[in-house]
Amino acid sequence: MFATCRRLGLGTVAVDTDPDADAPHVAEADARVRLPKVNDYLNTEALIAAARAAGADAVHPGYGFLSENAEFAKAVADAGLTWIGPPIDAVRAMGSKIESKKMMAAAGVPVLDELDPESVTTAQLPVLVKASSGGGGRGMRVVHELDALPSEVAAAQREAQSAFGDPTVFCERYLPTGHHVEVQVMADTHGTVWAVGERECSIQRRHQKIIEEAPSPLVERVPGMRAKLFEAARLAAGAIGYTGAGTVEFLADNDGEFYFLEMNTRLQVEHPVTEETTGLDLVELQIHVADGGRLDAEPPAAQGYSIEARLYAEDPAKDWQPQAGLVQHIDVPTARTKFATLGARTGIRLDSGIVDGSVVSIHYDPMLAKVISYAPTRHQAAMVLADALTRSRIHGVRTNRDLLVNVLRHQAFLDGATDTAFFATHDLAELARPLVDAEDIRLSAIAAALADAAHNRSTAKTSGVFGSIPSGWRNLASGYQVKTYVDDSGDEHRVEYRFTRTGLMLPGDESLQLVSASADDVVLADGSGVARRYTVNRYGQDVYVDSARGPVHLTALPRFPEPGSAVEKGSLVAPMPGNVIRLGAAIGDAVTAGQPLIWLEAMKMEHTITAPADGMLAELNVDTGHQVEVGAILARVETPEDS
């Protein structure tokens, strides 16, 4: 939003909490107002006071927190500020998914029937438990067994309360292989309602979108579906007197039949793909409409294809565990623009919420950035985006980057076979696998060792002729120098090398030749004379090696480990910082493998820590309410073999 305001010559004010004090949006703003508490993004009074103190005359709600809260919109208007959003009554009408579905059904928009959690029957399973307020996958649970419904409803209520301040949930029939298709609408105060274009957002995890695209592959192949979708979206907007930007979301089957899900009375995270295919700046249009401006009679025609990948700090291979910590470095070298359309040029756009040195906290959503491609064909848009992600340098927290690339290159995705069951249909473990193979990791470890040697040589306090001699060089044959690394799979890589009169010597791999080496750049050539460059960055014991083969993260092992540094067998280690909200067992209790023992809340979501094996809970180092750091030993399960 700030980028658009700058292009329009408008001043900007940012609000921030302590975890966001160094966030890019704060640095980009002309003025900033600190909010004293981490949850003050939900504090209407604090936000209005901040706007008044800064002399702002309008409020843009973004696409999170209070962006769809009618009471906040009313408070903004009551304070004499311009609300850059739809009418308050429209926000209120669509703020409850329960009531909005009733309204849409009355207006003739097809809907899925609402189910009361208290009266769901076995015949109606599976069902989807949903939060009535908010979105982003919070407060959503798929239930296949009737006995599990009460506990899943309770968990959904807790998440909904934490994320949106409203614990209301409901159920609806769950379609495991549906398509999530949405229509971007834009309406002015003079009666013009645009259906700007559709997006498909079916690649989801935990009911939250991670890859979105325009146009929709499903709509492209079903004759007449686009016209019906657009008509339903305009009907939905007209039924509530909508103005501004909004999104009408539908769930569709493979035949193109669709049902209303909800209407988001705000800008969507995935709005860039619509901007890329239409050339519009949707934020600029929001401001234009809020200022009383008129839209043209028809929106511009869409052309080309755009795909957005959401880069999250999470580990897909470990049940999508969110990650927190320091982002050492982030760079998408192929990006042509930031927060601006590519102008119908094939390429990459980056909309990022982080920079080098940003800290990903446990308090907010783990999305780091959005990487968006545009190209004349869908296949090219997917390939360009996959290449950009592969070449990106992301150092620090673990991300879902490898998963995104593997999905974009998967044949089913390229064929347009994208539905909400994509990760259930295709092997998630395979999709989450690293982009590099064992040989790539081995070569990266060699490059890391040689770069480390060059670094030591460049920083050594030597002078004269000895300063130019490679580390470990001997006039006569001698032993090898050794460096050991561990990759993200836990495999050790022992690198043995020495420098001789004829160059680098690696035992068992005499064909590999060192072309050049510096502290951060190594070029290796194989036996065929093909040379490849490896860029090496180190942060303490963490080493990141980037090359055309793919990214590799290594941990350098010390030559002499400290006594007692190993984690005891059966220990449950905190995978992220978080707050302990529940315990599932007490010391001395018998537990079974996979049994939930500890519930952590982090990033507004619940995460369970389970027993690694059958045994007894021998240690429990936390209690409810405890705040824990990543790597903390929470508990220990003792198995009969350990006794």
Side-chain angles (χ1 to χ4, degrees), residues 429-508:
E430 179 66 16
L431 289 170
R433 65 176 172 77
L435 299 179
V436 292
D437 58 22
E439 176 64 7
D440 298 330
I441 297 175
R442 185 185 76 88
L443 292 170
S444 294
I446 292 171
L450 298 177
D452 195 37
H455 171 73
N456 292 340
R457 186 165 65 249
S458 66
T459 56
K461 295 181 178 179
T462 58
S463 60
V465 67
F466 296 105
S468 62
I469 296 177
S471 174
W473 186 89
R474 295 291 185 274
N475 189 42
L476 300 174
S478 181
Y480 289 95
Q481 289 194 289
V482 178
K483 294 189 184 296
T484 306
Y485 303 92
V486 175
D487 64 29
D488 285 341
S489 299
D491 295 330
E492 283 196 12
H493 300 270
R494 179 183 170 91
V495 180
E496 297 181 344
Y497 67 93
R498 74 175 181 223
F499 293 100
T500 69
R501 291 186 179 124
T502 58
L504 174 69
M505 179 176 289
L506 298 166

Side-chain angles (χ1 to χ4, degrees), residues 116-141:
D116 183 351
E118 297 292 330
S119 59
V120 170
T121 66
T122 302
Q124 293 170 321
L125 295 173
V127 297
L128 180 64
V129 182
K130 299 179 71 173
S132 182
S133 300
R138 271 99 174 143
M140 296 182 73
R141 294 284 196 283

Side-chain angles (χ1 to χ4, degrees), residues 285-306:
L285 287 175
Q286 282 185 297
I287 296 171
H288 176 67
V289 168
D291 198 33
R294 290 179 177 271
L295 298 174
D296 293 337
E298 296 292 336
Q303 58 180 348
Y305 293 79
S306 181

Side-chain angles (χ1 to χ4, degrees), residues 263-276:
M263 183 173 185
N264 293 128
T265 55
R266 55 171 169 84
L267 199 65
Q268 291 284 85
V269 174
E270 58 273 17
H271 74 275
V273 296
T274 298
E275 294 184 330
E276 291 304 328

